Amino acid sequence: MADTSFLDPGQLAAYFALMEVSSLLQHAVDQQLREDGGLSYIQFQILATLGETPDEPQRMTDVADRLVHSRSGLTYQVTQMAKAGLLTRAPSSDDERSTMVSATPKGQEVLAQVFPGHVELVRQVLLAPLTRADMDALSDILGRVRAHMRADPPRSAAPRRRSAHDR
Amino acid sequence: MADTSFLDPGQLAAYFALMEVSSLLQHAVDQQLREDGGLSYIQFQILATLGETPDEPQRMTDVADRLVHSRSGLTYQVTQMAKAGLLTRAPSSDDERSTMVSATPKGQEVLAQVFPGHVELVRQVLLAPLTRADMDALSDILGRVRAHMRADPPRSAAPRRRSAHDR
DNA sequence: TATTGTTATACTCTATAACTATA
DNA sequence: TATAGTTATAGAGTATAACAATA
């Protein structure tokens, strides 16, 4: 069995590169969204999620699950965004406990206003130095990691851990 | 010239996979460090930076530059960590304006206490589904992105932007 | 009883600007 | 004048627990 106490240089390099690139990218993306539309990245994600289905409002819980928020955290963001006129809340007709959220025309406007700069930034910061083969390899490798993360949360490494949702 | 308004599916896949994996990884890492040593990821980075050179205290500004902090942000973290006994501050003998920071024995202890679980988590969450070739490809690709990010901040995408350091 | 969502609350973190002191 | 670091302050975000309403 492999020594489990250390990562060899190649493993460390992959880990550090990922952490540093994502940190820089996150930072850059956050600034762009803030400047071009006054949005945080999470607000952008929420808006983008709602913008995909302009006709179909989505449940709070579904949005929260998708974006790994605590419920109260999502309530906070949605409250801010509703104040800003980017989305609206309405009680569900199916289940009166549920709140359905949908992007307003203004929300879609802001999304459209922010999007070109966002795409441009991603292109310049992340994609510019990559070949098509690099991008494919990156999606493939990280896609596998993502599938693994979703399927198999690291219980044995953090046995005391419980997510906000399983109590 | 390529259409600059959209990312094709392959580009989007690479971008989204990176953002989601790093977000999940960041979350998992943060929890592990918090549980095993009461450290945030940034505090871990600071401590790890100081732990590399136990004999050579490092300047506040150098640490801040390396970890992309605002200076006041670093002062805040260092203050917290000094209260917790993880590091100490001392005026520099070379330059009386500077503050030199170094990890205390307790800081090194906490680092050692946190490290095995950290390595184990990274192995399980990030590295488990990857082959050696994947890791090499990942380091190579992201290493190039990192070099590109450091060398060439996205000015044209965010022309109004100034970093906290260039005023 | 379980689930949906909100609220109250407390905490962590970040950034800007003003400030002190040294170079 | 420029640089190093701190402080005051204000704001954004997060999480936990208690809660009301509905299933």
Side-chain angles (χ1 to χ4, degrees), chain B residues 27 59-61 71-72 75 89 97-99:
Chain B
H27 219 255
R59 282 177 62 215
M60 289 289 286
T61 296
R71 291 173 174 210
S72 64
T75 295
R89 282 185 276 199
R97 292 171 303 182
S98 299
T99 299

Side-chain angles (χ1 to χ4, degrees), chain A residues 114-130:
Chain A
V114 143
F115 211 73
H118 190 72
V119 163
E120 190 50 31
L121 180 74
V122 170
R123 194 190 301 285
Q124 288 190 19
V125 171
L126 175 67
L127 302 175
L130 302 184

